[in-house]
Amino acid sequence: MSTHSHSKILILDFGSQVTQLIARRVREAGVFSEVFPHDVTDEFVRNYGAAGVILSGGPNSVTEGDTPRAPQAVFELGVPVLGICYGMQTMAEQLGGKVDNGHLREFGYAEVRAHGHTKLLDNISDFTNAQGHGMLKVWMSHGDKVNEMPAGFKLMASTGNCPIAGMADEERRFYGVQFHPEVTHTVQGKAMLGRFVHEICGCQSDWNMPDYIAEAVEMIRQQVGSDEVILGLSGGVDSSVAAALIHRAIGDQLTCVFVDHGLLRLDEGKMVMEMFAKNLGVKVIHVDATAQFMGHLAGVTDPEAKRKIIGREFVEVFQAESAKLTSAKWLAQGTIYPDVIESAGKGKKTAHTIKSHHNVGGLPETLNLKLLEPLRELFKDEVRELGVALGLPPEMVYRHPFPGPGLGVRILGEVKKEYADLLRRADAIFIEELRNTKDEDGQTWYEKTSQAFAVFLPVKSVGVMGDGRTYEYVVALRAVQTQDFMTAHWAHLPHELLGRVSNRIINEVRGLNRVVYDISGKPPATIEWE
């Protein structure tokens, strides 16, 4: 990749839940950054070409025997280093300071006093206290704490029960903070990370999506040459942006295969074909495999089994189609950077698999094709910006996430075509009303929610229509708001909006006579029902 021409920040991951956020914040500041495991070799660190290094937080205690350390080379490179939380503790320990197994855990909101006008925090504060000290509103999360700074360090910040909440050795440009600047709860976090990468590390703002197109196009052309490429188009954001980017690079050398498993949203197949085949002029083979998928799903109720069947049949259909394209040498996938980081962490004890992931390594080696993954360095928000810069319609690019198995995981229990047809129509009504209803701030409720959809419940309840009794199915509406999909709150949709959706669904979709609203947060519930 020609990212070598960009100045870049190396982030070493000690297992924090929010390490990816550090990379996203740095990139939002216009600087390229990548996450690697903390145990990379000294040689890797020396050869990476980092303009600065950030050590992430993590779940371990520095004071226990065999806990993670940063490669020693980090402190010998001569570039600035920022240690966050565990990263600060291991920095202190490795440079000769002392870390104490704290008896007081500190977790959540804290107010930190800044000391000593260090370059990192100079003129950055949220308010001034009665004594005239600059104060920061931050998010803390730690048990241990540094109780003796290494030689050369001075105090940069403190809280009531954490006297050393920040430390700095400005000679060597080493900084440590005991709070998390990458999370939104730390109000000035963006300013701090911006200060670190621009002023302390000296990086330019040279990472943005419109400029990236030319780089990516050049890279794809070099990689592919005159070969043919096939891509499985799902209608989702990632595969769509990958298709548009590759098409921009190699035109007719790309063929997309769009497999309709009968579990897509209303008119989705038509929409995908219009956008790609008509507007962009991409070669798309549209396969309607509804009967095949429904046949295999008949009688299956277990969620994990349904996912596996849908995944397996998708590969079957895709393989059958790609076998016809004998000249193709490359398989393109819409793998994005979080998938890459997650699958890299799979071997470790720390990563728990809650649901089987449908993308990375989804297609078997038997295709004998080389992998082309032009988005594998990008976060989701970058993929969306890239899509818009490539001319895809914003309403498509900013659509809510849609699971790979489609409506298969939104129909509880057995999947039948009649259920999918009912759900499709109910879901379309819900989304249409969300898109058409604005809040007082002028935003639509579709924009205000991160994910919204209908779920088909295979239970029947009694209803009254006209003079007759009905005995029909129930649909549940789900709408959540979240920053990172790790935790989510149910959306407080206006009652009038919910009432309108319920009325329309019951009146317009014959077969449904009851609508309920899901008011569970994540945790304990997941966002999808299956």
Side-chain angles (χ1 to χ4, degrees):
M1 155 99 230
S2 51
T3 39
H4 307 314
S5 61
H6 297 281
S7 47
K8 49 187 183 172
I9 299 289
L10 170 62
I11 297 167
L12 295 180
D13 180 19
F14 287 90
S16 157
Q17 294 281 315
V18 290
T19 302
Q20 285 187 31
L21 281 182
I22 305 174
R24 281 181 49 190
R25 297 286 172 264
V26 171
R27 291 184 182 198
E28 282 165 13
V31 178
F32 184 69
S33 64
E34 289 181 292
V35 176
F36 288 93
H38 67 86
D39 54 5
V40 292
T41 62
D42 281 335
E43 185 187 19
F44 173 87
V45 172
R46 281 194 289 269
N47 295 337
Y48 180 76
V53 180
I54 299 179
L55 308 175
S56 87
N60 300 63
S61 165
V62 178
T63 55
E64 287 162 17
D66 190 18
T67 50
R69 292 289 178 264
Q72 204 50 41
V74 166
F75 304 111
E76 294 158 8
L77 281 178
V79 301
V81 182
L82 172 63
I84 294 174
C85 195
Y86 184 92
M88 161 164 157
Q89 294 162 9
T90 197
M91 174 191 276
E93 186 77 28
Q94 289 179 247
L95 297 176
K98 283 201 172 67
V99 175
D100 176 38
N101 192 312
H103 303 295
L104 270 175
R105 294 199 58 213
E106 193 171 15
F107 186 82
Y109 175 78
E111 293 181 354
V112 167
R113 178 183 154 191
H115 296 267
H117 302 296
T118 55
K119 195 163 182 184
L120 184 69
L121 299 182
D122 198 18
N123 288 323
I124 295 178
S125 70
D126 288 305
F127 65 99
T128 308
N129 67 7
Q131 291 79 43
H133 303 302
M135 302 291 288
L136 295 163
K137 299 177 177 182
V138 303
W139 184 258
M140 284 276 195
S141 159
H142 67 100
D144 296 355
K145 51 191 178 196
V146 173
N147 59 2
E148 208 175 293
M149 292 183 284
F153 279 80
K154 65 175 183 178
L155 187 64
M156 179 166 71
S158 62
T159 71
N161 67 1
C162 184
I164 305 175
M167 60 180 198
D169 176 341
E170 301 222 271
E171 185 102 343
R172 291 186 283 180
R173 298 180 297 171
F174 291 168
Y175 297 86
V177 290
Q178 193 46 79
F179 50 85
H180 285 272
E182 69 275 28
V183 301
T184 45
H185 309 69
T186 296
V187 183
Q188 300 291 341
K190 244 181 162 153
M192 292 172 206
L193 288 167
R195 169 77 55 87
F196 179 71
V197 298
H198 292 305
E199 293 173 37
I200 296 173
C201 299
C203 298
Q204 301 301 310
S205 295
D206 60 4
W207 176 255
N208 64 73
M209 286 307 102
D211 293 352
Y212 177 71
I213 294 175
E215 254 180 65
V217 160
E218 185 48 40
M219 201 170 59
I220 293 165
R221 285 179 185 157
Q222 283 178 6
Q223 222 178 332
V224 171
S226 56
D227 295 345
E228 300 267 317
V229 178
I230 51 174
L231 177 139
L233 196 55
S234 69
V237 177
D238 303 337
S239 68
S240 297
V241 174
L245 180 61
I246 296 167
H247 183 254
R248 170 81 59 102
I250 57 170
D252 269 357
Q253 292 164 245
L254 170 70
T255 303
C256 295
V257 177
F258 175 53
V259 179
D260 184 343
H261 45 30
L263 298 166
L264 296 169
R265 289 167 285 200
L266 194 66
D267 294 333
E268 189 151 24
K270 203 170 80 190
M271 201 188 80
V272 169
M273 291 307 288
E274 274 178 4
M275 185 167 67
F276 284 94
K278 282 193 186 151
N279 303 346
L280 288 173
V282 180
K283 285 193 290 193
V284 186
I285 298 166
H286 186 184
V287 189
D288 184 353
T290 306
Q292 178 178 337
F293 279 87
M294 292 302 167
H296 287 283
L297 287 166
V300 180
T301 55
D302 177 68
E304 216 30 41
K306 292 196 294 187
R307 280 174 182 268
K308 287 203 163 65
I309 288 168
I310 294 167
R312 183 192 73 209
E313 292 307 308
F314 186 87
V315 171
E316 282 283 288
V317 176
F318 188 81
Q319 276 187 293
E321 285 305 320
S322 47
K324 301 175 192 169
L325 301 166
T326 45
S327 51
K329 299 274 183 287
W330 295 85
L331 169 67
Q333 281 189 315
T335 310
I336 65 173
Y337 195 41
D339 303 328
V340 175
I341 299 176
E342 269 176 36
S343 50
K346 281 289 188 285
K348 301 187 183 151
K349 294 190 289 285
T350 47
H352 298 292
T353 317
I354 293 178
K355 292 179 183 172
S356 52
H357 220 290
H358 63 269
N359 200 331
V360 176
L363 290 168
E365 278 70 69
T366 47
L367 281 172
N368 295 323
L369 295 171
K370 295 180 279 192
L371 262 194
L372 178 65
E373 298 177 313
L375 309 179
R376 62 177 292 125
E377 299 198 310
L378 307 183
F379 284 107
K380 192 75 168 193
D381 39 350
E382 295 175 317
V383 172
R384 291 196 163 111
E385 285 166 35
L386 179 61
V388 172
L390 285 163
L392 292 176
E395 62 278 10
M396 183 261 138
V397 171
Y398 285 94
R399 268 208 314 191
H400 290 176
F402 187 63
L407 302 179
V409 291
R410 293 177 178 174
I411 294 168
L412 302 195
E414 186 183 4
V415 176
K416 295 183 180 174
K417 186 175 185 305
E418 59 163 311
Y419 296 170
D421 290 339
L422 290 172
L423 180 57
R424 244 187 285 279
R425 290 166 58 206
D427 188 73
I429 290 169
F430 186 29
I431 299 303
E432 184 187 331
E433 290 293 343
L434 287 170
R435 282 193 186 277
N436 289 342
T437 311
K438 290 192 166 154
D439 195 22
E440 50 268 16
D441 60 10
Q443 265 195 313
T444 68
W445 274 99
Y446 187 81
E447 294 165 313
K448 289 177 78 81
T449 49
S450 315
Q451 205 167 358
F453 52 90
V455 179
F456 181 89
L457 310 186
V459 290
K460 285 189 163 180
S461 74
V462 174
V464 182
M465 294 228 180
D467 297 329
R469 273 165 56 108
T470 59
Y471 189 52
E472 292 175 338
Y473 292 107
V474 182
V475 73
L477 305 178
R478 178 83 161 131
V480 298
Q481 293 173 314
T482 174
Q483 292 284 333
D484 54 11
F485 291 89
M486 294 283 193
T487 62
H489 299 287
W490 60 275
H492 293 224
L493 298 180
H495 293 174
E496 302 72 48
L497 169 58
L498 288 169
R500 208 162 46 244
V501 172
S502 170
N503 263 345
R504 282 194 57 193
I505 288 174
I506 292 167
N507 283 321
E508 296 173 32
V509 188
R510 177 155 294 171
L512 299 174
N513 70 355
R514 192 176 291 264
V515 175
V516 299
Y517 189 49
D518 177 353
I519 56 169
S520 335
K522 173 185 181 180
T526 51
I527 294 175
E528 296 283 352
W529 278 42
E530 290 197 341

